[in-house]
Amino acid sequence: MTPADLHFQADISHWTWTIAWFLWFVGIAGMGSVAYFFVRKAPVAYTILGALIIGLALVFSHLARWWNMPVVMWTMVVNGHFNFGSWMFIGIVVLSIHLVLGVLLAVSHMNFIFDRLKFLGFLRDILVALRESNLFVGLFAFVGFFGVIYSGFLLTQAVGIPLWGSPLIPVLWVLSGSVAAIAVLELMYVMGWVEERVSIFGMKLGLGLDAMKLLAVLAFLHVSVGLGSAGARLGAAEMISGSLAWMTWGGVVFIGILIPMVIAAWMLFAGKSKPLIVVSAVSALAGVLFLRAAVLLAGVWEPLVL
Amino acid sequence: MRLRRGQQPTRRLAHIWNEANCTACGACIISCTATNNPEMMYREEKGWKTVTSNIRRIDSATPQGRPTMLLVQCQHCDNAPCVSTCPFGAVYYDDNGQVQLDPRMCAGCKYCVTSCPYNVRWMHPDNGLPKKCMGDACLELVAANQKPACVQACPANARDFGDLNDPSSSVSQTLRTKRSRRLLPNSGAEPKYFIVEES
């Protein structure tokens, strides 16, 4: 029986593809920051900064009253209304810090600026010292990781949508964000921007992460459909066999997990192939986006009348 | 007036809907729109696919085929998720225990919409505000010691509004003497919208 009161959040609060892209970029930037701790290459720093800027621009464009933001910020500061209990507020703080650190890190790699503007040499020295400090890069990695965690708890705190109340969502976001960061590194290897050892390590790690992600996706669906409230069951059913089944099985599982796993296993057995690496990385990145979109689009309110 | 953290409201204003008395005429729904959002009178709420109002009507049927109807609106929860999730503090409790929105502090993130277990907020298409009961005009009525528009418009005495902290108020007396229930009582939100089951 279809509930009399079945409403998808996508129709009312419109947390749809714009937010899915935002979560995708935050995942890449966040787990990319963790990867930067180990890789420390300029293209990685630029990618993190680019992902953060695009992600924030997307979420800003999604605000129904974006033009009121200056007044909101001013009123919030003047009145001291800081809601530290809101994951969205925590996220704003974390992403702002991440953005500032990301700018510092990216600029520290931009030698062409300092080569032209010699008088900024002192700034270059400071930024390079920061970049070479494990404390700074460690802080950057931590803030990035916390940003990914935030993007998971952002959904779990939206208690109107029971499907999002699953504790597996932050775990899924970290796992899939890691997969996305590795896929970006693989693409950089193909472009010749990172060494082969990074690619080989990434491929092995990615294979394990894909397996864990598959388990987490299946657990999320199983727990939601088996143990969740009616709203969670209906949302999960939408992902399993409803209008979003193509995205779950085709996008998240087949494109996003199985194709990269098969390619990685094949390359570990038969040797590396750059075209296959590109296919694997693009598939993995698409799967991460599909996962976020499917979870968002499947969100329904608890029916008040069954 | 906005309550500060830890402050208790002086009154706990609550809505009552008597489902046994209700004739499903829709007067409360349309009077709400006409009073609070007259510009929305002939515009559909695209998400709910109904007339745009702070009161949402849900039609259903029992397994035996008998038609049923439920009216839902902001429950002015004592532990409102929308208050705790609003990143900018735009959603707050007033000294009547009502959940209010300060438009100056709202950026339209819609977190309050997804945080509400009762799906009672709708996005105003012109100003991007997440609207719900009570509207500005009804707040003015209450400030003038009158009942909200829906209560005044109801021809069947199916609606009431009053202070739960006052034992002599009509809502307190009704809840003492008649069987009632709340929606999603296990949500943890402590709603203050009561459905009275006997006339």
Side-chain angles (χ1 to χ4, degrees):
Chain A
M1 187 175 84
T2 306
D5 183 33
L6 182 64
H7 290 288
F8 285 88
Q9 67 79 22
D11 295 329
I12 297 167
S13 51
H14 310 295
W15 283 27
T16 54
W17 282 97
T18 311
I19 300 297
W21 280 104
F22 160 70
L23 296 172
W24 187 75
F25 279 115
V26 166
I28 290 174
M31 297 317 293
S33 302
V34 176
Y36 182 87
F37 186 84
F38 302 101
V39 180
R40 304 201 184 190
K41 295 283 184 188
V44 181
Y46 298 153
T47 304
I48 293 166
L49 181 59
L52 268 175
I53 291 172
I54 297 170
L56 287 169
L58 283 170
V59 80
F60 192 78
S61 75
H62 183 258
L63 296 175
R65 291 165 60 82
W66 57 266
W67 37 266
N68 195 39
M69 208 47 163
V71 179
V72 169
M73 287 296 174
W74 173 254
T75 315
M76 192 168 67
V77 171
V78 167
N79 295 333
H81 290 150
F82 303 114
N83 189 357
F84 290 102
S86 163
W87 272 102
M88 191 179 281
F89 178 79
I90 294 169
I92 292 167
V93 173
V94 170
L95 293 181
S96 302
I97 295 171
H98 198 197
L99 184 65
V100 171
L101 298 182
V103 168
L104 294 177
L105 206 57
V107 172
S108 77
H109 283 286
M110 294 177 180
N111 290 329
F112 58 90
I113 292 179
F114 298 109
D115 290 344
R116 287 187 183 177
L117 306 173
K118 300 284 187 197
F119 64 96
L120 289 177
F122 73 97
L123 185 62
R124 173 194 221 156
D125 295 341
I126 294 171
L127 291 177
V128 168
L130 275 180
R131 190 179 79 201
E132 289 173 356
S133 151
N134 279 340
L135 186 65
F136 178 81
V137 180
L139 176 69
F140 184 62
F142 174 77
V143 172
F145 180 73
F146 197 68
V148 181
I149 297 279
Y150 135 75
S151 70
F153 283 114
L154 176 75
L155 296 193
T156 60
Q157 200 181 25
V159 295
I161 312 297
L163 178 70
W164 297 352
S166 171
L168 282 164
I169 285 186
V171 177
L172 261 174
W173 269 207
V174 169
L175 287 174
S176 56
S178 306
V179 167
I182 289 171
V184 169
L185 288 177
E186 294 287 357
L187 289 175
M188 285 182 181
Y189 162 70
V190 173
M191 303 291 284
W193 294 341
V194 296
E195 301 93 347
E196 188 173 15
R197 66 174 179 88
V198 173
S199 169
I200 292 171
F201 178 73
M203 196 189 302
K204 290 176 181 170
L205 182 61
L207 192 56
L209 285 171
D210 277 331
M212 287 169 67
K213 186 179 151 196
L214 180 61
L215 177 66
V217 167
L218 296 177
F220 169 70
L221 293 172
H222 172 67
V223 170
S224 300
V225 87
L227 304 173
S229 64
R233 284 202 305 275
L234 289 161
E238 203 63 25
M239 287 180 72
I240 293 169
S241 55
S243 62
L244 295 167
W246 69 271
M247 201 185 289
T248 307
W249 303 118
V252 178
V253 175
F254 183 71
I255 293 176
I257 299 176
L258 295 182
I259 287 181
M261 280 181 83
V262 169
I263 290 176
W266 170 258
M267 287 193 297
L268 286 173
F269 174 73
K272 291 175 82 73
S273 150
K274 287 193 174 178
L276 280 180
I277 290 176
V278 172
V279 172
S280 167
V282 171
S283 294
L285 286 167
V288 173
L289 177 64
F290 280 132
L291 174 64
R292 281 147 173 76
V295 170
L296 286 175
L297 295 172
V300 297
W301 270 275
E302 189 71 21
L304 298 175
V305 177
L306 283 171
Chain B
M1 196 183 75
R2 177 189 281 261
L3 282 189
R4 296 211 163 269
R5 194 180 293 268
Q7 229 180 338
Q8 292 298 315
T10 49
R11 299 196 292 176
R12 288 176 66 229
L13 297 181
H15 286 265
I16 275 183
W17 171 58
N18 188 317
E19 64 180 359
N21 284 358
C22 182
T23 60
C25 67
C28 55
I29 295 174
I30 212 68
S31 69
C32 171
T33 308
T35 307
N36 295 297
N37 300 291
E39 74 283 3
M40 300 302 295
M41 276 296 281
Y42 301 102
R43 294 160 77 177
E44 185 191 58
E45 208 302 296
K46 291 190 168 61
W48 296 340
K49 296 180 177 62
T50 61
V51 61
T52 305
S53 174
N54 294 336
I55 303 171
R56 187 162 61 90
R57 171 175 166 157
I58 306 167
D59 289 298
S60 185
T62 63
Q64 293 75 33
R66 194 175 142 210
T68 63
M69 194 270 294
L70 180 68
L71 295 179
V72 186
Q73 62 192 68
C74 176
Q75 320 273 308
H76 294 284
C77 307
D78 280 340
N79 188 24
C82 55
V83 174
S84 53
T85 56
C86 179
F88 308 116
V91 187
Y92 64 96
Y93 301 107
D94 69 10
D95 49 0
N96 286 323
Q98 302 258 290
V99 176
Q100 304 287 1
L101 175 77
D102 183 348
R104 289 174 312 151
M105 300 185 70
C106 179
C109 67
K110 310 172 193 101
Y111 208 16
C112 54
V113 182
T114 55
S115 299
C116 176
Y118 301 96
N119 182 17
V120 294
R121 286 185 186 263
W122 54 276
M123 296 303 294
H124 197 294
D126 299 339
N127 58 27
L129 285 170
K131 306 289 274 188
K132 66 164 193 71
C133 170
M134 293 173 38
D136 294 338
C138 277
L139 285 172
E140 287 175 18
L141 289 172
V142 172
N145 278 328
Q146 293 185 45
K147 300 275 187 185
C150 56
V151 180
Q152 293 191 32
C154 181
N157 260 339
R159 285 188 162 268
D160 200 2
F161 177 78
D163 185 8
L164 294 176
N165 282 352
D166 176 7
S168 63
S169 70
S170 55
V171 291
S172 294
Q173 289 181 23
T174 303
L175 293 175
R176 259 201 316 274
T177 55
K178 292 178 179 168
R179 195 173 64 240
S180 66
R181 69 177 191 277
R182 296 186 294 179
L183 295 169
L184 303 178
N186 298 325
S187 69
E190 297 298 326
K192 293 202 296 286
Y193 177 75
F194 297 88
I195 300 173
V196 176
E197 297 173 337
E198 51 192 348
S199 55

